Amino acid sequence: MRDRAEDVVSAVRQGYAFDGACLELGALVADGAPRADVPVRVPLAMLNRHGLVAGATGTGKTKTLQVMAEQLAAAGVPVFAADIKGDLSGLASPGAPDEKIEARADAVGQEWSPTAFPVELLRLGDDGVGVPVRASVTSFGPTLLAKVLELNATQESSLGLVFHYADTAGLPLVELSDLRAVIQHLTSAEGKQDLEGLGGLSKQTAGVILRELVNFSASGADTFFGEPEFEVASLLRVGVDGRGIITLLELPGVQDRPVLFSTFLMWLLAELFEELPEVGDLDKPKLVFFFDEAHLLFKDASKDFLSALIQTVRLIRSKGVGVFFVTQSPKDVHEDVLAQLGSRVQHQLRAFTPNDAAALKAAVRTYPTSSYDLEELLTTLGIGEAVVTVMSEKGAPTPVAHTMLRAPQSLMAPSSPEVLAGLVAASPLAATYGERIDRESAYELLTGRIAAGPGDPLEAPEVLTKEQEIERLEAEIRGLPVPGTVPTEPQPTPSSTRKPPRKPPRKARASADSPLDAFLTTAGRELAKEIVRGVFGTRRRR
């Protein structure tokens, strides 16, 4: 037994002795005790080979992510992570020393000192503390939106046709109301003529998509779509002190919209893939992207979505971006994605059910050969311990190492509201993204086209609240009388005079009389005609 332990010590010491810069994960555990003289680390240059941080709830995944983010920032590498529970905001505050932290630091050979790190706070939508992040429907694209709406393959294909029509017709889809207006137009007599040669859009399929859009809006998700649209270059910033900026995306109420959360993160990753140039192998990544709750990404995903996801993960490393999937079990991640991952930090797995036991056996088979009884070890790991293997500087897997992980130097709890408010107030992004704007888009263009007769001025839009608009949409879809209108005998009305539901006003609607706005509107219309869609159907400019 003693000889076996010494063999493990020797193999790990040699296997993790790298020449270049590294992230220090912790120290080897041998004979039940950590060995501070045998560090377990991952080469900085290999972090764009992607990785997995997995483990059951409460086993220390978030703290592992925090330790990695701290060291990446210190090495000048920007970091992006979703802060689902708010715990990661503690990165902005120095840690609070106590006996447990000091004991762990001594055990693993860590020089621990309380340290705060540069943090940027974002929020998804209008609720929360951070700077709001929004995307236009046009840039989000049909593939990602179809996943959010949980459409089937036929409906997803039809949605793609709607986006194609909007692109070629110069109808920018900024908010969900723009997409609803285009779908309603394409099911009208005039719209059917526009679709000739492109294929049809059945009224039944259009009705399903509209119903899902209504429900989506009713959940409050329409706040995530709009302008100004977030530019992913904002994630690649380095502070004046040379440390990488850690960007945390706050997700208030994510439990009500989990699919939107995971798909929005995929949109950010797809935008990085489309926007960043090829850079090849670097000494350190341009960005490390932690993809939390990764199981949501793969649940009920269509073949097209999975194919695009696998391609993105495979190719984005050449753009200098490393992706770490964070989830409870390796089985949550598609096998073709797992095959792309070079580093693995596996916290405790639990095997309370037959399915859990099968998943445990499957996880064990994915590790390099070692002298550990991994089925037993993975179910008995303590909090803050993990089984680690990474990609060496030569591209080979390192020996499997039972590791006690380092303690974060920042606060292992949410930062105070005062600290968070100060971060947002000082953010250079607040001036750019803080206030929603509303320029002329598909809704206004179609409203003007339909409402105005020959030579007549455009009719001023009727002001409706979001609830009134949703109520009217539901009535139209079901063929019921529209609330707020007086029922009349059916009259043969030409399509050129039919009025679509009104778009609710926004707080910062741009003035149509401004010459600058007129220029931007024209430029936006021309830009829409130049859209090319990338691997996910997301916007890609020529």
Side-chain angles (χ1 to χ4, degrees):
M1 191 71 166
R2 183 75 178 174
D3 291 342
R4 186 181 73 82
E6 288 304 318
D7 289 343
V8 171
V9 169
S10 176
V12 171
R13 179 180 281 120
Q14 182 178 355
Y16 290 83
F18 306 125
D19 296 326
C22 297
L23 296 192
E24 301 290 342
L25 296 178
L28 175 71
V29 176
D31 285 335
R35 293 280 301 264
D37 60 322
V38 188
V40 176
R41 45 168 67 118
V42 54
L44 194 59
M46 292 293 109
L47 285 173
N48 68 342
R49 263 58 172 192
H50 313 321
L52 175 73
V53 178
T57 301
T59 57
K61 296 191 301 296
T62 301
K63 299 302 176 282
T64 297
L65 194 159
Q66 194 169 345
V67 166
M68 295 179 71
E70 289 177 351
Q71 295 184 60
L72 285 165
V77 178
V79 173
F80 171 86
D83 192 9
I84 294 177
K85 295 175 289 186
D87 292 353
L88 287 175
S89 66
L91 282 158
S93 302
D98 61 30
E99 292 181 1
K100 290 183 178 180
I101 289 177
E102 292 172 359
R104 179 175 288 261
D106 289 341
V108 301
Q110 176 185 5
E111 295 182 6
W112 190 94
S113 61
T115 308
F117 293 84
V119 168
E120 179 74 60
L121 292 178
L122 305 179
R123 71 175 190 258
L124 195 56
D126 292 339
D127 297 329
V129 177
V131 176
V133 176
R134 303 181 185 92
S136 70
V137 173
T138 285
S139 78
F140 207 71
T143 304
L144 294 174
L145 189 58
K147 186 174 192 308
V148 170
L149 299 178
E150 300 181 354
L151 303 181
N152 63 30
T154 300
Q155 294 154 2
E156 180 178 343
S157 176
S158 296
L159 186 62
L161 177 65
V162 173
F163 272 77
H164 176 71
Y165 169 77
D167 288 349
T168 56
L171 296 172
L173 304 176
V174 177
E175 301 173 2
L176 293 177
S177 54
D178 295 314
L179 180 57
R180 292 196 297 264
V182 171
I183 294 173
Q184 289 172 325
H185 169 69
L186 291 177
T187 54
S188 69
E190 180 185 357
K192 288 178 180 177
Q193 295 175 4
D194 292 343
L195 275 180
E196 285 183 3
L198 295 177
L201 176 65
S202 75
K203 209 163 185 85
Q204 291 82 2
T205 298
V208 171
I209 297 174
L210 283 172
R211 279 194 294 273
E212 293 302 326
L213 286 171
V214 167
N215 293 332
F216 194 41
S217 294
S219 73
D222 53 352
T223 62
F224 307 131
F225 295 94
E227 292 180 332
E229 186 168 74
F230 187 75
E231 296 290 340
V232 291
S234 300
L235 302 179
L236 305 177
R237 294 179 297 135
V238 176
V240 293
D241 59 358
R243 294 189 297 176
I245 303 295
I246 301 172
T247 302
L248 301 178
L249 180 63
E250 184 186 9
L251 301 159
V254 69
Q255 63 275 10
D256 299 327
R257 295 180 288 270
V259 178
L260 174 64
F261 146 66
S262 63
T263 311
F264 202 96
L265 294 188
M266 194 65 240
W267 173 78
L268 286 174
L269 197 60
E271 286 286 288
L272 287 164
F273 176 75
E274 299 293 355
E275 295 292 332
L276 296 181
E278 298 276 342
V279 294
D281 291 327
L282 302 173
D283 292 336
K284 60 184 180 183
K286 295 176 69 173
L287 173 74
V288 173
F289 192 108
F290 289 95
F291 208 126
D292 209 351
E293 298 293 341
H295 66 283
L296 297 171
L297 192 63
F298 301 95
K299 182 181 178 182
D300 300 325
S302 68
K303 291 177 64 176
D304 288 344
F305 184 91
L306 279 176
S307 176
L309 171 58
I310 293 164
Q311 183 180 354
T312 301
V313 173
R314 181 179 294 127
L315 299 178
I316 201 171
R317 78 166 189 84
S318 65
K319 309 290 184 88
V321 177
V323 183
F324 273 75
F325 294 93
V326 184
T327 189
Q328 293 196 12
S329 171
K331 69 179 178 60
D332 297 334
V333 180
H334 192 276
E335 59 183 10
D336 288 341
V337 174
L338 279 176
Q340 308 299 319
L341 308 184
S343 298
R344 184 163 169 182
V345 181
Q346 178 66 66
H347 291 268
Q348 182 192 128
L349 286 173
R350 293 168 186 154
F352 294 149
T353 69
N355 287 339
D356 291 341
L360 174 63
K361 290 181 180 293
V364 168
R365 289 197 299 270
T366 63
Y367 277 95
T369 302
S370 74
S371 59
Y372 290 111
D373 181 348
L374 286 176
E375 281 194 47
E376 178 183 358
L377 179 58
L378 287 172
T379 56
T380 57
L381 290 168
I383 296 173
E385 296 181 10
V387 173
V388 175
T389 180
V390 304
M391 185 174 286
S392 73
E393 293 168 318
K394 297 180 180 179
T398 57
V400 177
H402 176 192
T403 305
M404 177 174 283
L405 296 161
R406 289 187 160 211
Q409 298 185 95
S410 54
L411 187 64
M412 289 193 284
S415 288
S416 69
E418 292 77 19
V419 169
L420 301 182
L423 290 174
V424 176
S427 170
L429 303 182
T432 303
Y433 302 113
E435 289 294 326
R436 180 187 289 271
I437 61 174
D438 189 5
R439 305 195 184 280
E440 186 179 57
S441 54
Y443 183 92
E444 287 85 3
L445 293 170
L446 287 172
T447 299
R449 182 185 302 174
I450 294 169
D456 293 337
L458 294 184
E459 180 182 323
E462 177 186 355
V463 177
L464 295 179
T465 66
K466 181 177 72 176
E467 291 75 16
Q468 288 172 325
E469 183 188 10
I470 292 171
E471 190 177 0
R472 285 197 174 190
L473 278 171
E474 289 178 331
E476 286 191 5
I477 292 168
R478 296 171 182 169
L480 300 174
V482 177
T485 61
V486 178
T488 59
E489 292 296 323
Q491 299 290 332
T493 304
S495 61
S496 62
T497 62
R498 184 172 58 85
K499 298 177 183 178
R502 300 302 181 188
K503 184 176 183 178
R506 294 290 184 188
K507 287 187 287 188
R509 184 178 296 278
S511 168
D513 299 328
S514 163
L516 175 61
D517 290 334
F519 166 76
L520 290 172
T521 296
T522 303
R525 212 174 299 174
E526 292 304 313
L527 175 63
K529 296 178 182 178
E530 294 298 316
I531 288 175
V532 177
R533 296 207 168 270
V535 65
F536 264 102
T538 52
R539 174 198 58 197
R540 180 178 169 191
R541 294 191 178 99
R542 286 196 182 103

